[in-house]
Amino acid sequence: AQTRQQGYRWKRRSSPRWNRDSTASENAGEAKLVIEYTRSDLEERLEAVRIEAEKYQDDQTMSQTSRYATAEYVRNLWDRELNLIYSSIHKEMDESAAEALRREEVEWIRKRDLEADKASAKSNSTPSQSIEYVRTSASVTMDRCYELLENYGDYLEPEKN
């Protein structure tokens, strides 16, 4: 049965977990809720994250700890969206396209980390403690969100039904 909630398509799928000790009657009641996003859903989410991230611009008057926490928050916002976009696209691809995207994503992660390392080299702290590392990582991740939707968004349904 399909239902809609907040503009997203919700599907209820049964997902029995079979093992040697389980029976069909034990697994019959288990169900997993799967949310499927359309391209327009993801574009709307990106806009909402962009607006949220803009609220947390780097403020030089804040303490170093607060600036780092703020940068981490923004990076996590974009990272969550990237994972959602990637998984939404990946599950719609055939096996060879999905593998090509996976390899591309691994290469992108290397480039993101290299770019963040270069940015943190300008500061006196280690990369894991550098605000510039985190801010650059967030910025590159944001760009990747838009890039994935631009390059692979055709794998998704364009709009809500």
Side-chain angles (χ1 to χ4, degrees):
Q2 280 190 333
T3 60
R4 286 193 179 205
Q5 187 168 348
Q6 298 177 2
Y8 302 110
R9 226 172 15 151
W10 296 74
K11 284 188 179 177
R12 196 157 194 70
R13 295 183 182 163
S14 62
S15 61
R17 294 185 188 128
W18 300 104
N19 62 42
R20 287 183 223 178
D21 299 325
S22 66
T23 65
S25 62
E26 290 172 350
N27 290 302
E30 293 183 30
K32 182 169 81 173
L33 193 60
V34 177
I35 302 173
E36 293 182 349
Y37 294 95
T38 65
R39 183 177 182 151
S40 64
D41 292 335
L42 294 171
E43 288 168 345
E44 288 172 18
R45 287 181 61 94
L46 284 180
E47 181 63 15
V49 169
R50 187 190 60 74
I51 290 168
E52 177 71 8
E54 284 179 354
K55 296 177 188 175
Y56 296 93
Q57 295 300 314
D58 192 29
D59 181 353
Q60 299 290 329
T61 64
M62 292 174 21
S63 71
Q64 191 78 352
T65 303
S66 294
R67 289 178 65 214
Y68 185 84
T70 299
E72 271 289 318
Y73 174 73
V74 171
R75 177 175 63 175
N76 289 336
L77 285 174
W78 287 114
D79 191 54
R80 182 186 67 220
E81 290 308 305
L82 178 66
N83 290 329
L84 181 65
I85 292 166
Y86 176 87
S87 64
S88 295
I89 292 169
H90 190 266
K91 73 180 180 183
E92 298 299 327
M93 296 177 142
D94 63 40
E95 193 174 316
S96 66
E99 178 59 24
L101 178 61
R102 189 197 65 77
R103 283 192 306 271
E104 180 182 321
E105 199 67 6
V106 167
E107 183 58 30
W108 172 81
I109 290 168
R110 284 189 201 118
K111 289 178 182 177
R112 177 204 61 199
D113 292 347
L114 182 61
E115 199 169 324
D117 282 340
K118 287 178 184 177
S120 71
K122 298 173 188 172
S123 70
N124 293 331
S125 54
T126 64
S128 63
Q129 299 170 329
S130 168
I131 293 167
E132 284 308 309
Y133 181 95
V134 177
R135 292 183 76 230
T136 300
S137 180
S139 176
V140 173
T141 302
M142 175 192 71
D143 292 344
R144 181 64 175 167
C145 288
Y146 287 100
E147 181 182 320
L148 278 178
L149 266 184
E150 179 67 27
N151 294 341
Y152 299 101
D154 290 343
Y155 283 95
L156 302 168
E157 287 187 41
E159 295 181 15
K160 302 170 189 109
N161 294 332

